[in-house]
């Protein structure tokens, strides 16, 4: 038996949503005088995020810090991801800022920036999304195809897709080396969506004008 063995059990339970068993395993660790470490806590925080139990995730994060277990980058990313999953983007940004402000500041990685940039684009906060995007590239992290396609797909599905944002995302995808055939597909999807939205917008404007002469 070892801490790593118990951590594997905690992680296994957390990943399949059996959080009560995961917490029982941590209690069992303590009874056997094994001290949970940052890996133990992170596994449970991630499990809470997957189950949308962000209150418990935040409680566990605070407990970890109070016990003198310093959260590492993986722990911060797990909680930031959990907050975003639960729609708490503002809290996620506050945690992101805490990473850099705390003693022994932790440098965000590609995953950190990707989670936060996508969250803002998804919610329609394009300006903030581009700001984080810029921080990511300034930090030496290049966006990949998966990230850019995910953002573009959500922007096109939004209630009011922004033409400038769509154009810029297509440019970023080209710079990221996305194949010509894939770019043709996304340009076609973008053109159809933007045209459909603009036609709908014009019709709504005309109808509003008729109703309010």
């Amino acid at each position: 038996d070892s801490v790593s063995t118990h951590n594997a059990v905690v992680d296994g339970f957390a990943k399949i949503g059996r959080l009560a068993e995961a917490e029982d395993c941590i209690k069992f660790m303590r009874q056997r005088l094994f001290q949970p470490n940052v890996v133990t806590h992170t596994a449970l925080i991630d499990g809470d995020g997957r189950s949308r139990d962000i209150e418990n995730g935040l409680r566990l994060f605070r407990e970890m810090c109070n016990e003198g277990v310093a959260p590492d980058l993986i722990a911060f990313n797990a909680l930031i991801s959990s907050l975003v999953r639960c729609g708490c983007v503002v809290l996620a940004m506050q945690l992101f800022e805490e990473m850099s402000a705390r003693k022994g500041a932790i440098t965000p990685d590609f995953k950190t920036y990707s989670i936060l940039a996508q969250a803002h684009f998804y919610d329609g906060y394009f300006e903030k999304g581009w700001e984080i995007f810029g921080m990511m590239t300034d930090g030496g992290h290049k966006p990949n195809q998966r990230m850019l396609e995910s953002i573009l797909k959500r922007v096109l599905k939004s209630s009011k897709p922004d033409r400038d944002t769509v154009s810029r995302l297509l440019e970023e995808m080209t710079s990221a080396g996305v194949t010509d055939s894939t770019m043709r597909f996304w340009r076609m999807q973008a053109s159809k969506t933007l045209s459909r939205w603009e036609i709908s917008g014009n019709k709504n404007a005309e109808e509003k004008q008729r109703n309010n002469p």
Side-chain angles (χ1 to χ4, degrees):
D1 287 352
S2 64
V3 172
S4 60
T5 301
H6 287 84
N7 284 349
V9 176
V10 171
D11 187 55
F13 278 133
K15 275 186 166 59
I16 59 175
R18 294 170 62 178
L19 301 176
E21 286 97 328
E23 294 213 39
D24 285 342
C25 185
I26 293 178
K27 292 176 184 176
F28 183 68
M29 286 179 68
R30 297 183 193 279
Q31 290 170 1
R32 302 195 68 185
L33 303 181
F34 287 115
Q35 185 63 31
N37 59 19
V38 66
V39 177
T40 323
H41 292 288
T42 300
L44 202 48
I45 289 168
D46 184 62
D48 283 321
R50 293 173 187 272
S51 300
R52 303 294 195 272
D53 188 359
I54 194 57
E55 288 186 8
N56 200 51
L58 288 167
R59 177 185 65 79
L60 289 167
F61 189 83
R62 287 193 295 269
E63 283 183 4
M64 176 175 66
C65 296
N66 291 338
E67 289 175 6
V69 179
D72 59 9
L73 177 60
I74 298 173
F76 271 105
N77 280 348
L79 186 54
I80 287 172
S81 179
S82 297
L83 287 164
V84 167
R85 278 196 194 106
C86 297
C88 304
V89 179
V90 173
L91 283 178
M93 282 302 300
Q94 291 175 356
L95 189 65
F96 169 72
E97 291 165 2
E98 181 185 330
M99 285 175 62
S100 302
R102 66 189 291 125
K103 185 178 180 181
I106 296 172
T107 303
D109 64 359
F110 172 83
K111 184 175 181 178
T112 320
Y113 290 119
S114 178
I115 293 168
L116 292 170
Q118 290 187 64
H120 284 86
F121 279 114
Y122 289 0
D123 288 349
Y125 297 106
F126 302 136
E127 185 176 345
K128 187 65 177 180
W130 284 121
E131 180 184 331
I132 298 169
F133 196 94
M135 293 168 67
M136 179 178 69
T137 55
D138 289 345
H141 304 288
K142 294 182 179 180
N144 59 26
Q145 179 175 342
R146 182 178 179 182
M147 172 188 172
L148 293 168
E149 285 187 323
S150 178
I151 293 173
L152 180 57
K153 185 185 295 185
R154 290 295 292 266
V155 169
L156 292 176
K157 286 183 176 181
S158 66
S159 59
K160 187 178 180 181
D162 179 70
R163 179 176 286 278
D164 290 340
T165 296
V166 170
S167 298
R168 187 169 172 185
L169 284 169
L170 290 170
E171 290 174 4
E172 291 290 345
M173 288 170 69
T174 301
S175 299
V178 177
T179 62
D180 290 343
S181 59
T182 301
M183 288 305 306
R184 282 195 296 272
F185 168 79
W186 283 113
R187 287 194 181 100
M188 182 173 65
Q189 293 299 311
S191 179
K192 287 180 179 178
T193 301
L194 291 171
S195 295
R196 190 163 56 243
W197 181 83
E198 287 171 357
I199 291 171
S200 175
N202 290 335
K203 286 182 178 178
N204 290 338
E206 290 173 2
E207 184 176 347
K208 186 175 181 180
Q209 189 173 21
R210 284 196 300 269
N211 294 333
N212 298 281

